[in-house]
Amino acid sequence: MARVLLVEDDRTLASGLITLIKNSGFAIDAVRSGEEALEVAEAEPYNLIICDVGLPGMSGFETIRHLRARGATVPVLFLTARHEREDRIQGFDLGGDDYLGKPFDADELLAHIRALVRRSAGSASPLLRVGQLICDFSATSATVADRPLVLPRREWSVLWALASRAGKVVPKDRLLSEVFDYDDPVGSNAVEVYITRLRKKLAPDGPKITSLRGLGYMMDVS
């Protein structure tokens, strides 16, 4: 569905967030410092960065300032134990898109994540329609002609990646990056397996998924 980079030095908190976010249908990578974040963000196509402000060494604010100076436009959600008005203003002025104070509610965090990812994809609504297919981003669910689809996490991620770009070619590498974390074992035909399963579930009323040799996959809009 989307790939998230978590920048958090607290191992316990990071572990809990990784589990929460992954179980909500997102691919997630995690680093513990601003320096690591800058290196990884330059190499991988993230849809969202969640960055702790109080990082050791290079702070979260400095990390995002450097990221924006490189021209990166990926949405950024700051996490912080600081609640002063000046800190929030500084975070927004340095390129942050959203701000969540610690401690925070898990459901509230997920709502912030979904909203930021939707907006980055150019959609304010959680509902996406392609022909008889309706995808609900907030509920990570989909129906075809009012028939609910049973979709494990990665099938849902592939479906959303294609549906949100319906009528456009999505390269295989892009699908891999949005479905798998960088430490996941990935088979050479992993994407093909999920595409085959989705075609069966979408048939006969849903949109077709076309394979374009050497280019990628496209969900038809006709």
PDB file of all heavy atoms in Angstrom, residues 128-142:
ATOM      1  N   LEU A 128     -11.657   4.775  -2.991  1.00  0.00           N
ATOM      2  CA  LEU A 128     -11.143   4.836  -4.362  1.00  0.00           C
ATOM      3  C   LEU A 128     -11.960   3.873  -5.212  1.00  0.00           C
ATOM      4  O   LEU A 128     -12.103   2.701  -4.865  1.00  0.00           O
ATOM      5  CB  LEU A 128      -9.666   4.435  -4.379  1.00  0.00           C
ATOM      6  CG  LEU A 128      -8.968   4.375  -5.731  1.00  0.00           C
ATOM      7  CD1 LEU A 128      -8.876   5.765  -6.337  1.00  0.00           C
ATOM      8  CD2 LEU A 128      -7.559   3.797  -5.561  1.00  0.00           C
ATOM      9  N   ARG A 129     -12.487   4.346  -6.327  1.00  0.00           N
ATOM     10  CA  ARG A 129     -13.325   3.513  -7.194  1.00  0.00           C
ATOM     11  C   ARG A 129     -12.670   3.359  -8.562  1.00  0.00           C
ATOM     12  O   ARG A 129     -12.271   4.352  -9.186  1.00  0.00           O
ATOM     13  CB  ARG A 129     -14.715   4.117  -7.365  1.00  0.00           C
ATOM     14  CG  ARG A 129     -15.643   3.304  -8.259  1.00  0.00           C
ATOM     15  CD  ARG A 129     -16.942   4.046  -8.526  1.00  0.00           C
ATOM     16  NE  ARG A 129     -17.766   4.152  -7.335  1.00  0.00           N
ATOM     17  CZ  ARG A 129     -18.651   3.235  -6.942  1.00  0.00           C
ATOM     18  NH1 ARG A 129     -18.825   2.139  -7.668  1.00  0.00           N
ATOM     19  NH2 ARG A 129     -19.362   3.417  -5.853  1.00  0.00           N
ATOM     20  N   VAL A 130     -12.568   2.108  -9.011  1.00  0.00           N
ATOM     21  CA  VAL A 130     -12.115   1.802 -10.372  1.00  0.00           C
ATOM     22  C   VAL A 130     -13.131   0.827 -10.947  1.00  0.00           C
ATOM     23  O   VAL A 130     -13.107  -0.368 -10.626  1.00  0.00           O
ATOM     24  CB  VAL A 130     -10.707   1.179 -10.403  1.00  0.00           C
ATOM     25  CG1 VAL A 130     -10.268   0.943 -11.853  1.00  0.00           C
ATOM     26  CG2 VAL A 130      -9.699   2.064  -9.683  1.00  0.00           C
ATOM     27  N   GLY A 131     -14.058   1.331 -11.768  1.00  0.00           N
ATOM     28  CA  GLY A 131     -15.126   0.475 -12.264  1.00  0.00           C
ATOM     29  C   GLY A 131     -15.959  -0.067 -11.119  1.00  0.00           C
ATOM     30  O   GLY A 131     -16.446   0.694 -10.279  1.00  0.00           O
ATOM     31  N   GLN A 132     -16.099  -1.383 -11.050  1.00  0.00           N
ATOM     32  CA  GLN A 132     -16.874  -2.038  -9.991  1.00  0.00           C
ATOM     33  C   GLN A 132     -16.063  -2.277  -8.723  1.00  0.00           C
ATOM     34  O   GLN A 132     -16.582  -2.780  -7.725  1.00  0.00           O
ATOM     35  CB  GLN A 132     -17.429  -3.374 -10.501  1.00  0.00           C
ATOM     36  CG  GLN A 132     -18.474  -3.253 -11.583  1.00  0.00           C
ATOM     37  CD  GLN A 132     -19.735  -2.575 -11.065  1.00  0.00           C
ATOM     38  OE1 GLN A 132     -20.281  -2.951 -10.042  1.00  0.00           O
ATOM     39  NE2 GLN A 132     -20.187  -1.554 -11.787  1.00  0.00           N
ATOM     40  N   LEU A 133     -14.774  -1.905  -8.755  1.00  0.00           N
ATOM     41  CA  LEU A 133     -13.900  -2.081  -7.591  1.00  0.00           C
ATOM     42  C   LEU A 133     -13.940  -0.833  -6.724  1.00  0.00           C
ATOM     43  O   LEU A 133     -13.759   0.280  -7.208  1.00  0.00           O
ATOM     44  CB  LEU A 133     -12.460  -2.336  -8.047  1.00  0.00           C
ATOM     45  CG  LEU A 133     -11.370  -2.305  -6.960  1.00  0.00           C
ATOM     46  CD1 LEU A 133     -11.529  -3.487  -6.003  1.00  0.00           C
ATOM     47  CD2 LEU A 133      -9.981  -2.297  -7.594  1.00  0.00           C
ATOM     48  N   ILE A 134     -14.174  -1.030  -5.421  1.00  0.00           N
ATOM     49  CA  ILE A 134     -14.094   0.058  -4.452  1.00  0.00           C
ATOM     50  C   ILE A 134     -13.096  -0.339  -3.374  1.00  0.00           C
ATOM     51  O   ILE A 134     -13.240  -1.387  -2.725  1.00  0.00           O
ATOM     52  CB  ILE A 134     -15.462   0.365  -3.813  1.00  0.00           C
ATOM     53  CG1 ILE A 134     -16.469   0.810  -4.884  1.00  0.00           C
ATOM     54  CG2 ILE A 134     -15.312   1.436  -2.741  1.00  0.00           C
ATOM     55  CD1 ILE A 134     -17.862   1.057  -4.332  1.00  0.00           C
ATOM     56  N   CYS A 135     -12.071   0.490  -3.191  1.00  0.00           N
ATOM     57  CA  CYS A 135     -11.070   0.258  -2.157  1.00  0.00           C
ATOM     58  C   CYS A 135     -11.261   1.287  -1.046  1.00  0.00           C
ATOM     59  O   CYS A 135     -11.396   2.486  -1.325  1.00  0.00           O
ATOM     60  CB  CYS A 135      -9.658   0.397  -2.722  1.00  0.00           C
ATOM     61  SG  CYS A 135      -9.230  -0.804  -3.997  1.00  0.00           S
ATOM     62  N   ASP A 136     -11.269   0.817   0.192  1.00  0.00           N
ATOM     63  CA  ASP A 136     -11.390   1.693   1.356  1.00  0.00           C
ATOM     64  C   ASP A 136     -10.042   1.721   2.062  1.00  0.00           C
ATOM     65  O   ASP A 136      -9.665   0.775   2.746  1.00  0.00           O
ATOM     66  CB  ASP A 136     -12.480   1.184   2.294  1.00  0.00           C
ATOM     67  CG  ASP A 136     -12.742   2.134   3.461  1.00  0.00           C
ATOM     68  OD1 ASP A 136     -11.848   2.936   3.792  1.00  0.00           O
ATOM     69  OD2 ASP A 136     -13.838   2.071   4.040  1.00  0.00           O
ATOM     70  N   PHE A 137      -9.301   2.815   1.876  1.00  0.00           N
ATOM     71  CA  PHE A 137      -7.958   2.919   2.419  1.00  0.00           C
ATOM     72  C   PHE A 137      -7.967   2.856   3.944  1.00  0.00           C
ATOM     73  O   PHE A 137      -7.100   2.238   4.556  1.00  0.00           O
ATOM     74  CB  PHE A 137      -7.329   4.246   1.948  1.00  0.00           C
ATOM     75  CG  PHE A 137      -5.873   4.390   2.262  1.00  0.00           C
ATOM     76  CD1 PHE A 137      -4.907   3.914   1.398  1.00  0.00           C
ATOM     77  CD2 PHE A 137      -5.459   5.014   3.424  1.00  0.00           C
ATOM     78  CE1 PHE A 137      -3.557   4.053   1.681  1.00  0.00           C
ATOM     79  CE2 PHE A 137      -4.118   5.164   3.718  1.00  0.00           C
ATOM     80  CZ  PHE A 137      -3.164   4.678   2.840  1.00  0.00           C
ATOM     81  N   SER A 138      -8.953   3.499   4.583  1.00  0.00           N
ATOM     82  CA  SER A 138      -9.004   3.543   6.041  1.00  0.00           C
ATOM     83  C   SER A 138      -9.238   2.168   6.644  1.00  0.00           C
ATOM     84  O   SER A 138      -8.697   1.841   7.699  1.00  0.00           O
ATOM     85  CB  SER A 138     -10.108   4.503   6.509  1.00  0.00           C
ATOM     86  OG  SER A 138      -9.820   5.817   6.098  1.00  0.00           O
ATOM     87  N   ALA A 139     -10.041   1.358   5.982  1.00  0.00           N
ATOM     88  CA  ALA A 139     -10.367   0.027   6.496  1.00  0.00           C
ATOM     89  C   ALA A 139      -9.494  -1.072   5.886  1.00  0.00           C
ATOM     90  O   ALA A 139      -9.638  -2.236   6.243  1.00  0.00           O
ATOM     91  CB  ALA A 139     -11.839  -0.290   6.235  1.00  0.00           C
ATOM     92  N   THR A 140      -8.609  -0.690   4.952  1.00  0.00           N
ATOM     93  CA  THR A 140      -7.803  -1.650   4.179  1.00  0.00           C
ATOM     94  C   THR A 140      -8.671  -2.812   3.692  1.00  0.00           C
ATOM     95  O   THR A 140      -8.371  -3.976   3.930  1.00  0.00           O
ATOM     96  CB  THR A 140      -6.594  -2.182   4.991  1.00  0.00           C
ATOM     97  OG1 THR A 140      -7.043  -2.830   6.170  1.00  0.00           O
ATOM     98  CG2 THR A 140      -5.649  -1.059   5.347  1.00  0.00           C
ATOM     99  N   SER A 141      -9.757  -2.444   3.017  1.00  0.00           N
ATOM    100  CA  SER A 141     -10.692  -3.449   2.506  1.00  0.00           C
ATOM    101  C   SER A 141     -11.134  -3.054   1.108  1.00  0.00           C
ATOM    102  O   SER A 141     -10.984  -1.902   0.692  1.00  0.00           O
ATOM    103  CB  SER A 141     -11.907  -3.580   3.424  1.00  0.00           C
ATOM    104  OG  SER A 141     -12.635  -2.373   3.450  1.00  0.00           O
ATOM    105  N   ALA A 142     -11.683  -4.023   0.384  1.00  0.00           N
ATOM    106  CA  ALA A 142     -12.132  -3.757  -0.980  1.00  0.00           C
ATOM    107  C   ALA A 142     -13.327  -4.633  -1.317  1.00  0.00           C
ATOM    108  O   ALA A 142     -13.496  -5.726  -0.763  1.00  0.00           O
ATOM    109  CB  ALA A 142     -10.997  -4.018  -1.974  1.00  0.00           C
TER     110      ALA A 142
END
